[in-house]
Amino acid sequence: MMVIRFMFFFLGLCILSGCKSAEDYLSKGLDLSSEGNSKAAIIFFEKAIQKNPFLKDAYIQLGLCLENQNQQDSAINVYMKLLQLYPDNTAAYYYSGICKYSQEKYKEAIAFFDKAINTKGGFNSADTTSIQAVLNLNKDKFESESDENDIPTRDIIYDRGMAYFKTGQLKSACCDFNNCIIQKYNTGPSHYMISLCKRVKVK
């Protein structure tokens, strides 16, 4: 048993010693994370941050791995550190909101989702006259954003709608789900949530 542990320790040491730059650590962490080994990936993302404290990707990936380990508070702490360096980082606010949502702290989640939307120029979901203008302005972003570091506005709006629903703010929830439908995003679930909001109102 001791021999096996030593072999794993030695193997890990060899892998770590093969990493020379922050990008090396980040790359290895991403490999481990994609294999489903979040626990091991955390070590490499932490090393990447030690090497380069300004590497945004490392913070986001570290936070996501901590979330996967059900360590939401630790993940939020990582996102807060990133926001100290980059106060307008959309992903840090968004994933903090996701953490709060999973903790059933829905009002705090909404506050983070609002901040995430504000970093992208804001979005007044109640003002339907401005929707098309916003869509035209952000068309390329809506079509191309997929990276974990740049969250599309429509994703944030949908998740905020879910948080609004959980807090009983049904009118605001409907506004967000309507905007998702207009953007042809999560149309089925959005229609369902709107009908759910109406049924709750009737009761």
Side-chain angles (χ1 to χ4, degrees), residues 18-55:
C19 298
K20 295 180 180 177
S21 68
E23 287 73 18
D24 289 338
Y25 286 114
L26 176 62
S27 178
K28 185 59 188 175
L30 288 169
D31 288 342
L32 289 165
S33 180
S34 66
E35 293 166 6
N37 196 347
S38 296
K39 198 170 183 179
I42 286 169
I43 297 167
F44 286 89
F45 295 136
E46 287 174 341
K47 288 280 187 184
I49 292 168
Q50 286 173 12
K51 282 274 185 181
N52 180 1
F54 297 96
L55 191 59

Side-chain angles (χ1 to χ4, degrees), residues 85-104:
L85 298 170
Y86 302 99
D88 292 326
N89 189 275
T90 305
Y93 284 121
Y94 174 71
Y95 288 121
S96 294
I98 294 295
C99 287
K100 290 295 184 182
Y101 187 95
S102 69
Q103 293 176 326
E104 299 183 2

Side-chain angles (χ1 to χ4, degrees), residues 128 131-132 135 177-185 187:
T128 54
I131 292 171
Q132 194 57 51
L135 288 175
F177 293 129
N178 268 320
N179 284 325
C180 289
I181 292 166
I182 289 168
Q183 295 176 38
K184 294 182 172 61
Y185 176 73
T187 52

Side-chain angles (χ1 to χ4, degrees), residues 153-168:
T153 305
R154 61 189 183 186
D155 286 19
I156 307 168
I157 289 170
Y158 181 83
D159 288 323
R160 187 179 66 178
M162 293 298 295
Y164 276 139
F165 178 79
K166 291 288 189 178
T167 59

